[in-house]
Every structure is written in structure tokens, then in C-alpha cells.
């Protein structure tokens, strides 16, 4: 193809192949979808029963809302939060999945290890159950408050209004070191915000093969170079591919480390499912 030439491996050269290769293939990992289960609770006690003298404190199971099921998913190699959330049609997408499992995943949503157990729907369950209990408790408190007001003498002076809660301070923007580690981490943050899968390990492995970590490398000898579109940067991207898969918010300079990594991972996700699935010429 005129914009995507086939790369050949160099002979003991620090340069590796360009990003685009029409003969390379890949497979997107099919994710298992685990069915959710639900449990129902008995209906809440009626107001008529309470007026007849029945205790207002209903059994716990009588005021517990129907509980949503929890799906537990075990991460396999090549997974990303985006792919898992999409495979389970999760409302809120990968951001919801990350929020529900942040304690298990850690601070980097782009880095999940095989074997990690993720709970899908856990927060929904807790929210549904808590909402029902709060509703029943609030109902009883409201009735008690009305009864107290009807028997208590009228206060001479109204109570002062409660002070408004102080606004939480804004989170400080993330900072990254100006080296290979920092470039990969910053790119992962951009990828997560744009739903592009990939892990630190998958990106680092391909960078070391393609450029040995040098963001200024240019391949001037292969078929792409002969066609006038040499491979450039950390992941050896040719200009037509960089422009087609450039991610908004990053530099338009293909030598920029973060822009180069992000565009390459966007291309790899489109062609192979994830940069993690790339182990050779791509």
C-alpha cells in the first residue's frame, strides 16, 4: 500500500521495523461474559399495619431492596479495562469498571496483570441495597419527627441554618518524568482517556525492539524509506500512519515521544486489538 510499506528486520541494526506491515496479522481476544445472578427480598411492611399497632421496625430482609448480581472476571493476557467493560456491555464503560475496582487495579488503569480478579457490578449492588435501607430508615425517622413536632411546644427562636460544606480542593495535575518511563506513563493516561487498550509492559517491549528507546531514530534503509516515508521515533511510525491514528491532545510532531507512542498504540488497537498483541513486525 502507498502509505503503509512492509518493514524488514535490520542486520544487527539498532533500528527495527516500521510500524506498518501489510503481511502481519493479529487476533482480538474474545472475552467471556459471565451471567449475573439476582436475589429478591420480601416486600416492605405496609403503612396500614403500622397504624394498626404493628412495630415500625420491620425485619432486615423486609426492607432490603432486590440485590443486583456480581460478575467476577479474571484478567487474561492481552486484556484491558476497555475490552473487559465493552465485552460485558457495562454502563459507564472502562471508567466505571476502573472506579469500582480501583483498589485492586491501582493508580494506573492501563496496567492490569493476568489473574487479577475484577468485580463487575459490585458498586451497583451496594448502591441498590443501601438505597433501600436508607429509604426505610428515613421513612421511620420522618414519622417520628412529625409526631415529636405535634406534641412539643413551639420554639421561640428558629435554629440557625447548618453551614454549607467546604468545597474539596481541586486535584493537582499529574506530572511525568522526561524519560522513557515518564513518556510511557503519560501516553497510558492519554490512552485511558480515549479508550485505547495497552499496558506498560506491552509498550516498553515493542519500543525496545523498534528503537531501543531513542525517540529520534529514523529508518533510512527499508522499503518505506525508499518510498519517501521513513519510519520514525520510539515505535517507528511512518508519517501517513501517524497522521491517520494521531490522538487529539498530543503533539502533531511524530518525533514527540508521547504522540508517537499514542498514535502507534491506536493503530495497533485497530489492527491487532492491542499493542500487547504485537510481538514482531507490525
Amino acid at each position: 500500500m502507498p502509505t503503509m510499506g512492509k518493514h524488514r528486520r535490520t542486520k544487527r541494526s539498532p533500528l527495527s521495523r516500521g510500524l506498518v506491515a501489510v503481511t502481519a496479522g493479529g487476533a482480538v481476544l474474545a472475552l467471556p461474559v459471565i451471567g449475573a445472578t439476582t436475589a429478591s427480598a420480601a416486600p416492605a411492611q405496609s403503612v396500614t399495619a403500622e397504624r394498626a399497632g404493628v412495630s415500625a421496625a420491620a425485619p432486615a430482609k423486609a426492607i432490603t431492596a432486590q440485590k443486583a448480581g456480581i460478575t467476577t472476571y479474571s484478567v487474561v493476557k492481552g486484556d484491558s479495562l476497555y475490552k473487559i467493560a465493552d465485552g460485558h456491555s457495562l454502563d459507564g464503560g472502562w471508567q466505571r469498571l476502573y472506579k469500582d475496582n480501583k483498589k485492586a487495579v491501582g493508580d494506573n488503569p492501563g496496567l492490569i496483570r493476568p489473574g487479577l480478579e475484577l468485580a463487575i457490578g459490585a458498586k451497583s449492588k451496594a448502591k441498590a441495597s443501601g438505597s433501600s435501607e436508607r429509604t426505610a430508615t428515613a421513612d421511620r425517622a420522618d414519622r417520628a419527627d412529625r409526631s415529636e413536632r405535634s406534641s412539643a411546644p413551639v420554639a421561640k427562636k428558629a435554629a440557625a441554618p447548618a453551614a454549607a460544606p467546604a468545597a474539596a480542593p481541586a486535584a493537582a495535575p499529574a506530572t511525568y518524568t522526561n524519560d522513557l518511563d515518564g513518556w510511557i506513563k503519560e501516553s497510558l493516561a492519554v490512552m485511558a482517556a480515549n479508550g485505547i487498550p495497552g499496558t506498560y509492559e506491552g509498550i516498553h517491549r515493542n519500543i525496545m525492539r523498534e528503537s531501543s528507546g531513542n525517540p529520534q531514530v529514523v529508518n533510512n534503509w527499508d522499503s518505506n524509506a525508499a518510498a519517501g516515508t521513513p519510519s520514525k521515533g520510539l515505535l517507528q511510525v511512518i508519517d501517513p500512519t501517524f497522521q491517520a491514528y494521531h490522538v487529539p491532545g498530543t503533539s502533531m510532531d511524530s518525533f514527540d515521544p508521547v504522540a508517537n507512542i499514542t498514535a502507534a498504540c491506536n493503530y495497533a488497537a485497530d489492527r491487532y486489538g492491542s499493542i500487547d498483541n504485537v510481538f514482531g513486525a507490525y
Side-chain angles (χ1 to χ4, degrees):
M1 298 174 66
T3 60
M4 299 183 184
K6 179 177 181 183
H7 298 299
R8 298 174 297 172
R9 184 173 297 278
T10 64
K11 296 181 179 179
R12 302 183 182 274
S13 170
L15 304 180
S16 299
R17 294 159 306 284
L19 176 64
V20 181
V22 298
T23 59
V28 178
L29 179 62
L31 300 178
V33 178
I34 305 175
T37 59
T38 59
S40 300
Q45 193 172 17
S46 68
V47 177
T48 302
E50 294 177 4
R51 292 177 179 172
V54 180
S55 173
K61 68 178 182 178
I63 61 174
T64 302
Q66 183 177 4
K67 298 181 179 180
I70 302 175
T71 297
T72 300
Y73 178 78
S74 181
V75 175
V76 298
K77 188 172 182 180
D79 269 348
S80 66
L81 294 182
Y82 170 79
K83 291 170 65 177
I84 296 171
D86 185 62
H88 287 79
S89 300
L90 179 64
D91 290 341
W94 72 267
Q95 294 94 337
R96 161 72 183 284
L97 182 60
Y98 174 55
K99 181 178 179 182
D100 289 354
N101 294 273
K102 186 173 181 179
K103 184 175 181 180
V105 174
D107 294 333
N108 186 354
L111 180 59
I112 55 176
R113 65 182 184 278
L116 179 66
E117 297 286 336
L118 298 179
I120 303 176
K123 295 295 183 181
S124 297
K125 173 188 174 184
K127 186 177 293 184
S129 176
S131 176
S132 176
E133 293 175 3
R134 285 195 300 271
T135 300
T137 301
D139 184 59
R140 291 196 299 273
D142 184 59
R143 289 196 299 274
D145 183 60
R146 287 199 300 269
S147 175
E148 183 179 338
R149 287 199 303 268
S150 65
S151 59
V154 177
K156 293 183 179 180
K157 185 176 181 180
T175 57
Y176 304 95
T177 55
N178 188 28
D179 55 19
L180 183 59
D181 178 71
W183 300 331
I184 294 176
K185 289 178 178 177
E186 184 175 355
S187 181
L188 282 169
V190 177
M191 289 163 59
N194 287 273
I196 302 171
T199 65
Y200 186 104
E201 188 279 331
I203 295 173
H204 186 272
R205 167 169 45 80
N206 282 284
I207 285 177
M208 298 312 293
R209 186 190 66 248
E210 294 294 334
S211 66
S212 298
N214 183 355
Q216 298 300 316
V217 167
V218 179
N219 186 325
N220 289 313
W221 63 267
D222 67 1
S223 59
N224 286 319
T229 56
S231 304
K232 303 176 181 178
L234 290 174
L235 282 170
Q236 290 292 278
V237 188
I238 63 174
D239 283 340
T241 300
F242 177 81
Q243 293 164 10
Y245 289 92
H246 171 262
V247 176
T250 62
S251 172
M252 288 301 299
D253 180 4
S254 62
F255 285 108
D256 179 85
V258 174
N260 188 281
I261 293 172
T262 310
C265 289
N266 193 23
Y267 165 76
D270 183 46
R271 189 172 180 85
Y272 303 104
S274 170
I275 190 69
D276 296 339
N277 298 331
V278 178
F279 292 90
Y282 70 114

